[in-house]
Amino acid sequence: MKSKLTAVALAAVVVAGTAATALPASAATAKAEPTRCLIADLEAGFAMGDGAKPEMGQTENQTQAYIWFTNKSKRTCTLSGFAGVDMVGAQTTDGTWSLARSSEAPTKMTLEQGDTVDFSITLLPVAKSTPQKEKFVPATFLVTPPNETKHFTLKWPFGGQILKQDGATRPATYLNPIGQ
């Protein structure tokens, strides 16, 4: 019985030893895949270019605001999925509105040092004459990168009001995945 166990143990060592030497030499020198971007790797802000500003003065159609993330670290990292976005209102009746996600499928974005990627928030502006209880007046946005727990606090720079639908199952104000 002892020789049978010794033979099995010896066979296991031989197989394990063979497996360890069976790796190609290129695998040992291959560059590791980038890991996800951490909040410490990123900067964030609202896109302010002419085509990026939401049309908050009109009230007939949805419009888009864009938030960007820039990789400020010295390493390559990835972002995938949806940011978390909570709008904090300027009116005492607004409170905080956690934006719903679109049905768009996210893609993985790889950011080299200095690269920027954005995502859009679709908004439904309303007229100033809309009753206060039906409008949300944005003041700040709490933006959490995907898979993070800390957020950036961004001041809303565009003015205007949004149709308040914070309890709706299919709101006209929602966010899209990173890169869209």
Side-chain angles (χ1 to χ4, degrees):
M1 180 75 167
K2 186 174 182 182
S3 63
K4 205 177 218 186
L5 287 176
T6 304
V8 169
L10 183 58
V13 169
V14 170
V15 170
T18 306
T21 59
L23 291 175
S26 62
T29 59
K31 190 174 180 182
E33 287 292 315
T35 58
R36 71 179 174 86
C37 299
L38 305 173
I39 195 163
D41 298 325
L42 301 171
E43 293 178 330
F46 282 102
M48 300 299 287
D50 290 335
K53 293 179 183 176
E55 297 177 29
M56 297 304 292
Q58 62 85 29
T59 59
E60 301 296 317
N61 299 303
Q62 289 172 304
T63 187
Q64 278 77 35
Y66 294 87
I67 295 176
W68 52 262
F69 291 119
T70 297
N71 180 2
K72 67 178 184 174
S73 74
K74 294 184 183 196
R75 68 181 188 91
T76 300
C77 61
T78 62
L79 283 175
S80 180
F82 290 84
V85 176
D86 294 329
M87 294 190 304
V88 179
Q91 305 177 117
T92 56
T93 56
D94 288 338
T96 300
W97 178 358
S98 295
L99 294 183
R101 297 174 173 181
S102 73
S103 60
E104 297 293 321
T107 58
K108 188 177 203 177
M109 307 299 293
T110 301
L111 301 176
E112 302 280 339
Q113 180 183 10
D115 283 353
T116 298
V117 67
D118 64 10
F119 66 94
S120 64
I121 298 174
T122 301
L123 307 161
L124 182 58
V126 295
K128 288 183 180 184
S129 61
T130 301
Q132 182 174 353
K133 66 180 183 175
E134 295 176 22
K135 65 182 176 182
F136 186 94
V137 181
T140 57
F141 280 52
L142 308 178
V143 180
T144 308
N147 302 307
E148 283 291 298
T149 56
K150 295 181 180 176
H151 64 264
F152 294 100
T153 301
L154 306 177
K155 186 174 187 224
W156 177 249
F158 305 114
Q161 297 89 189
I162 301 166
L163 181 62
K164 191 171 190 173
Q165 296 180 310
D166 54 342
T169 56
R170 295 182 61 98
T173 295
Y174 54 88
L175 61 106
N176 291 300
I178 301 294
Q180 297 181 19

